[in-house]
Amino acid sequence: MRGSPTPVERKLWYEFLQHLPLRVRRQCPLEGYIADFYIEHRLIIEVDGKSHFTEEAQTYDAHRTAILESLGLRAVRFTNDEVTHRFASVCGQIRAILLLSEQAPLPRRSLPAGWGAVP
């Protein structure tokens, strides 16, 4: 576990995730792995820097994702570049996933009406 978030993780947290009407945990331990963000709707958000672009790292990430998804979790990955340069799109994708997950039969709080509207 890292001691502090990366600048890109801070951006995603302070400008979007902390304002969700859901519980979001940062640096959340799950099955021996540390998720950058875990949202109570059983959604993992990962923000990948350059170290994730090697063949070895991509193999590790794919294995890790398969294990977490076998537990009923959904893992979504964004690159640092996506969060930095396409922030609204990243936030929209996360919103869409959360709204779709409202239809899944998992115990959770409901999202408030109108929450998914694009500002």
Side-chain angles (χ1 to χ4, degrees):
M1 186 177 321
R2 288 187 321 264
S4 60
T6 66
V8 178
E9 289 170 353
R10 274 195 300 274
K11 176 181 179 62
L12 187 58
W13 171 253
Y14 285 110
E15 295 180 29
F16 180 67
L17 293 175
Q18 78 169 354
H19 302 292
L20 290 177
L22 304 164
R23 182 171 179 196
V24 181
R25 294 176 58 194
R26 296 182 285 174
Q27 294 290 295
C28 180
L30 296 165
E31 294 297 312
Y33 300 104
I34 305 295
D36 291 336
F37 301 99
Y38 174 75
I39 302 174
E40 69 179 343
H41 273 50
R42 303 179 65 80
L43 177 63
I44 296 166
I45 305 291
E46 292 291 331
V47 180
D48 294 342
K50 290 180 183 178
S51 67
H52 290 266
F53 300 146
T54 67
E55 186 176 326
E56 181 180 340
Q58 289 180 352
T59 299
Y60 174 83
D61 287 344
H63 175 72
R64 176 180 183 258
T65 297
I67 290 171
L68 295 170
E69 289 182 346
S70 75
L71 300 170
L73 303 171
R74 178 164 182 191
V76 180
R77 306 189 89 81
F78 298 101
T79 65
N80 282 348
D81 186 63
E82 288 174 311
V83 175
T84 300
H85 300 291
R86 293 186 289 283
F87 188 72
S89 174
V90 167
C91 296
Q93 289 175 61
I94 294 169
R95 272 196 187 102
I97 292 165
L98 292 171
L99 289 170
L100 287 173
S101 72
E102 279 289 290
Q103 300 167 11
L106 299 172
R108 63 177 74 90
R109 292 184 304 191
S110 293
L111 293 169
W115 179 80
V118 175

